Amino acid sequence: MYLTKSFIPILKNNPSEAKIKSHQLMLRVGMIKQSSAGIYSWLPLGFKVMKKIEKIVREEQNRIGVQEILMPTIQSSEIWKESGRYEDYGEEMLRIKDRQGREMLYGPTNEELVTDIFRTSVKSYKSLPQLLYHIQWKFRDEVRPRFGIMRCREFYMKDAYSFDISDEEALFSYNKFFLSYLRTFRRLSLTAIPMAADTGPIGGNLSHEFIILADTGESKIFTDKDIFKVSSDNTKVEKKSLDELRKEYEKFYAVTDEKFNKKEFENQVPEENRLITKGIEVGHIFYFGDKYSKPMGASVDLPGGKKDFVKMGSYGVGVSRLVGAIIEAKYDNQNEVMKWPISVAPFDISLIPMNNKNDNSALEKANNINNEFIKNDIEAIIDDTDENFSSKIKKMNLIGAPFQIIIGKKTEGDLLEFKEIGLETKRIKLEEVIKIIKKEKAKN
Ligand code: ATP
Ligand code: MG
């Protein structure tokens, strides 16, 4: 893709309205455009990154056996009246009336709708567990939308729901999601720590928020530093190992604001290990038993003829917020350098040809290299503008493809000036470049 033909409206300077680095960068390189307070259009660069995040989230849901559905954004108020949340949800819910005067709403979450889908179709314990998810826009009329897409009103969320026959089975489902979230965030090159959390308006009694550390985060956290040493590698989806995995984390004190208790913190965490800091919530899982199934009458036949309400959990990932969260974690705003993890990078590599007047050979060389990249499934952006070297580098450092090739005077024979952002420039052959990039991509 040529930079001149791409829709990447780059700004010369940081926009003054943006307070945190993800918001600054997203506006600066035209990833998003605000359309009204807390509501954004996603432009090609931002959309590409979000779609790559979505793909990883989807693959990891499928991997633990969750089935994908798609529920609408607009819901009827009837089911929310059944659960009792129509009143409780308050002003965060955007309420609308259709032409018949029916009360509708733009879904802030989907516990009611999915319970309604479940109860009309599933009647027997034999069909359990059922795990369902969708990836859909949500609307919450937040009091203070801010920080760009980090806390906005319309956002893209993966939400999953589990239906089980007993508490024990439901906890197995919960633990599966716990593992799946660790895997998902790792593939996004993020260290997300599960923290015991309050259940808020979703309700229930067991809940974890997945938090990545960032000074600009809105969640205050209290934890034992050693929790960062827990490794979730190679955990199989077996009841026992999953239980152990969660216990590995729960050995350490790690809570958000609402659950904080000074005494417990000081008793459980040695002084030198106490960490009080801020983070960004990128995922949230809940177990709430029959909170929705009971008022909404979602029950199944048990062995022996009795009936019982199903035990449910729900599991959210902020897909659009993750775009900002990755920037918060990876962007060096002092030097204005972004390096996207290759798993979600908008381009794998940037090609920076330095043409002389009346001589197109550098651009031609870039085109030839790009043809080889295309054959190898490597996506490049070519800076085909007439700008000078430093301005080209500056732009490419903001766009953040993790690798760069500079084609200029120093390019002789078949040795290329190749650089991984943050590392030294190497002079290597094209085959070598392709090998390096393919290897990086395969890690995911
Ligand atoms: P928060 O405490 O940040 O408001 P929440 O507890 O209300 O989050 P959930 O209902 O658990 O969030 O939603 C699941 C995920 O959706 C969150 O972990 C977060 O990543 C994302 N999310 C929630 N609200 C917003 C928002 N206003 N803008 C962007 N993403 C959001
Ligand atoms: Mg909220």
Side-chain angles (χ1 to χ4, degrees), residues 332-427:
D332 169 1
N333 63 331
Q334 291 290 304
N335 299 305
E336 303 197 331
V337 180
M338 176 64 195
K339 183 183 182 187
W340 288 101
I342 194 121
S343 57
V344 298
F347 301 98
D348 300 316
I349 185 163
S350 42
L351 288 169
I352 309 171
M354 292 313 306
N355 283 327
N356 292 322
K357 271 209 177 98
N358 310 323
D359 174 10
N360 260 341
S361 61
L363 183 59
E364 267 166 34
K365 198 155 190 184
N367 286 335
N368 293 336
I369 294 172
N370 193 35
N371 287 338
E372 289 308 306
F373 282 161
I374 292 169
K375 283 183 209 157
N376 285 282
D377 225 6
I378 292 171
E379 199 180 354
I381 176 139
I382 306 173
D383 190 340
D384 57 335
T385 63
D386 295 327
E387 290 170 30
N388 64 30
F389 181 70
S390 71
S391 114
K392 284 191 176 186
I393 291 287
K394 204 168 173 190
K395 266 183 305 174
M396 287 306 164
N397 282 347
L398 288 171
I399 291 174
F403 299 101
Q404 300 176 338
I405 287 178
I406 295 147
I407 306 160
K409 286 194 207 95
K410 285 196 208 142
T411 311
E412 295 156 12
D414 52 4
L415 288 183
L416 299 170
E417 262 184 81
F418 171 78
K419 186 177 160 74
E420 173 168 357
I421 288 185
L423 303 181
E424 290 297 302
T425 303
K426 286 187 200 167
R427 307 197 62 212

Side-chain angles (χ1 to χ4, degrees), residues 216-314:
T216 47
E218 292 187 283
S219 308
K220 198 161 182 205
I221 54 174
F222 304 82
T223 186
D224 186 325
K225 279 181 193 152
D226 284 347
I227 199 166
F228 292 96
K229 295 183 186 156
V230 181
S231 163
S232 54
D233 277 351
N234 301 323
T235 309
K236 292 197 213 92
V237 185
E238 286 167 15
K239 265 187 196 169
K240 190 160 165 284
S241 60
L242 279 184
D243 225 30
E244 280 162 7
L245 171 70
R246 186 148 70 83
K247 283 190 188 127
E248 278 297 303
Y249 279 96
E250 287 177 338
K251 260 192 232 156
F252 299 101
Y253 190 87
V255 302
T256 55
D257 233 358
E258 306 92 345
K259 284 248 166 180
F260 177 66
N261 177 307
K262 192 161 182 278
K263 243 197 181 140
E264 281 172 13
F265 185 52
E266 287 173 0
N267 284 342
Q268 289 176 39
V269 188
E271 202 170 344
E272 64 280 10
N273 271 19
R274 288 177 204 155
L275 179 66
I276 302 177
T277 185
K278 283 180 179 165
I280 300 166
E281 179 194 323
V282 286
H284 199 166
I285 61 179
F286 304 85
Y287 177 55
F288 43 73
D290 59 11
K291 179 173 184 294
Y292 299 91
S293 56
K294 202 169 176 180
M296 293 185 68
S299 59
V300 292
D301 297 327
L302 301 179
K306 277 194 182 158
K307 264 178 177 295
D308 199 7
F309 300 113
V310 284
K311 306 286 189 274
M312 291 174 59
S314 77

